[in-house]
Amino acid sequence: MRILIVTHSPLSQELGAGQVALNLASSLRKLGNEVILWSASGVSGQPKWWQALQVKRRALDSFLNGQERFDIVDVPAALLTPKLSAWGLTVVRSVQPELHYLVENLLSKSGKWWSFKSIIRRAGLAVYSGYFFAVVMSGWFTSKHILCLGTIEFQWMRRWFPWWCHKTSYYVNCPASDERGSFHAIRLKRKASDAVAGRKFLWLGRWQPHKGTAGLVRFINERIASVPEDVFTIAGCGPLAESDFTREQLSSGQIKIIPTFDRRQLYEILSSHDVGLFTSRVEGWGLGICEMLESGMTVFATDVGGVPDLKRYFPRTLRKFPPPLTFAIELEAEEILEEYFSAFNWDSIAVDYIRQVLGVH
């Protein structure tokens, strides 16, 4: 089959949505399919934020000129144009809960809430949000199949849009197969330990409100006051995180900020920490959870994204955020992990993808 996969994200293993597109494409190709990837991030120019979606939709339509028909067109709901709908069996595949993020942005209280500039910005955001909501709804309505990411989004879709149940299913996420050897090597060096002070905590992600950054900062401040021997690393957060901590905390080494890192550095970061933190209020999946768990870390997580789907496979090491004052570190039995790896690998995901998508006809 000939398959087109469209993504908002740059096609990079360092970025979540791009990583998912690359991993899915690779495994679909192993099944003998021709897969073409198209990224909206490659659109030329720098349109205003309220113009970006329309520019991307027009660029995608332009890309189709001269293209042969596809058997499957895999696209985010907001990018499913009428022209694209005629180019193949359309699959709206989610990589993040777009409407939930929309609400989070509208309710965000960053900046001076009642300043004139803030009011104008929020009014513009409200108008744009209405447009974006309509575009997403149109994509869901037009598509032949809706593929949610994880059971949380799947159950939400079935609850709020039951008339689309007949064409809705879900898939899961996981790291690329060629990275798992590195995670395994790190995991083999882990050791169980009793409750002690001096834990090395790790938080991965962009410094955005929906990631639960306010709750993370509050937890870190409380934890440092109670257990000053503990240390914290915040990685992949960009330049904004430093402003939420004091100079003393940063200079003392209690809190370390790593704004960006590549995949090679990720393995070093994982191997030098023993406890992971995941604090999101809204999340697509949270691939960093899988990376931390597969490397043998104990992870304390909020119950969003892929957490409910992962719990049964990590009964000892995936726990509820926030951590208690004292806790022991345990290791998962390898036989339990084998069940996880048999279900959470991209070759299996690709087989299920084809079955689910074609099963609607």
Side-chain angles (χ1 to χ4, degrees):
M1 289 188 297
R2 194 163 184 263
I3 302 173
L4 172 65
I5 296 179
V6 176
T7 177
H8 288 291
S9 171
L11 294 169
S12 167
Q13 287 288 357
E14 272 73 39
L15 300 171
Q19 189 178 91
V20 172
L22 289 167
N23 291 339
L24 178 59
S26 176
S27 290
L28 288 173
R29 288 174 182 137
K30 289 181 185 179
L31 297 175
N33 301 293
E34 178 189 358
V35 183
I36 296 174
L37 288 161
W38 187 88
S39 170
S41 70
V43 175
S44 60
Q46 294 182 326
K48 302 294 185 180
W49 62 268
W50 63 86
Q51 300 172 321
L53 182 57
Q54 274 297 333
V55 170
K56 291 175 182 179
R57 286 166 64 91
R58 287 195 295 267
L60 180 54
D61 281 349
S62 297
F63 163 77
L64 294 174
N65 295 332
Q67 289 286 333
E68 299 176 8
R69 180 180 169 84
F70 295 93
D71 297 290
I72 297 174
V73 174
D74 180 301
V75 59
L79 292 181
L80 180 51
T81 65
K83 182 176 181 178
L84 189 59
S85 296
W87 238 257
L89 187 156
T90 50
V91 179
V92 167
R93 181 175 56 82
S94 173
V95 293
Q96 61 186 26
E98 293 180 309
L99 297 188
H100 291 80
Y101 281 0
L102 198 65
V103 172
E104 283 285 319
N105 288 335
L106 283 171
L107 297 180
S108 173
K109 294 185 179 181
S110 59
K112 296 181 178 179
W113 181 262
W114 293 113
S115 69
F116 178 76
K117 187 175 182 180
S118 177
I119 292 173
I120 295 299
R121 183 184 68 82
R122 291 182 184 281
L125 181 59
V127 173
Y128 174 81
S129 297
Y131 161 71
F132 186 83
F133 176 84
V135 171
V136 170
M137 292 293 290
S138 174
W140 286 343
F141 175 79
T142 305
S143 68
K144 295 297 188 294
H145 195 79
I146 300 170
L147 200 56
C148 302
L149 180 53
T151 56
I152 285 184
E153 187 177 33
F154 175 66
Q155 292 164 359
W156 176 84
M157 180 68 76
R158 289 173 67 90
R159 182 170 64 253
W160 287 95
F161 306 102
W163 49 87
W164 288 329
C165 285
H166 68 284
K167 64 176 184 178
T168 303
S169 60
Y170 74 93
Y171 73 114
V172 296
N173 196 2
C174 64
S177 299
D178 58 4
E179 292 188 310
R180 287 187 147 162
S182 298
F183 296 140
H184 177 70
I186 298 171
R187 189 170 70 250
L188 289 178
K189 297 178 181 179
R190 299 281 183 196
K191 294 182 180 179
S193 64
D194 296 328
V196 295
R199 298 293 194 199
K200 295 180 179 178
F201 290 84
L202 173 65
W203 187 92
L204 299 171
R206 295 177 294 120
W207 202 249
Q208 296 291 332
H210 75 268
K211 296 284 187 180
T213 52
L216 174 68
V217 172
R218 186 166 55 251
F219 165 74
I220 290 176
N221 288 331
E222 292 172 354
R223 184 85 188 184
I224 286 177
S226 302
V227 191
E229 298 89 348
D230 288 347
V231 295
F232 298 84
T233 297
I234 298 170
C237 54
L240 299 177
E242 286 192 8
S243 62
D244 283 314
F245 300 99
T246 66
R247 290 184 179 180
E248 291 75 14
Q249 289 173 327
L250 297 172
S251 61
S252 68
Q254 285 181 302
I255 298 172
K256 181 180 180 181
I257 307 292
I258 304 176
T260 61
F261 59 86
D262 58 29
R263 301 306 288 177
R264 178 187 57 79
Q265 291 173 303
L266 172 64
Y267 307 135
E268 298 174 359
I269 293 170
L270 292 172
S271 64
S272 60
H273 294 80
D274 47 28
V275 182
L277 299 172
F278 178 78
T279 60
S280 292
R281 298 199 305 263
V282 178
E283 191 61 66
W285 182 266
L287 192 58
I289 302 175
C290 293
E291 294 166 343
M292 291 189 285
L293 289 169
E294 289 191 25
S295 69
M297 294 177 68
T298 294
V299 180
F300 291 90
T302 49
D303 203 26
V304 300
V307 172
D309 301 280
L310 296 168
K311 277 182 177 178
R312 59 171 291 199
Y313 301 98
F314 296 92
R316 298 176 181 173
T317 55
L318 182 53
R319 308 177 192 175
K320 186 176 181 179
F321 179 85
L325 194 59
T326 60
F327 58 90
I329 287 180
E330 300 180 80
L331 303 177
E332 299 292 354
E334 285 297 323
E335 55 268 24
I336 295 179
L337 292 177
E338 287 177 9
E339 185 181 356
Y340 161 76
F341 288 121
S342 68
F344 288 74
N345 68 82
W346 278 103
D347 291 344
S348 295
I349 294 170
V351 170
D352 286 343
Y353 175 94
I354 295 296
R355 176 183 57 78
Q356 293 176 125
V357 169
L358 299 185
V360 301
H361 292 273

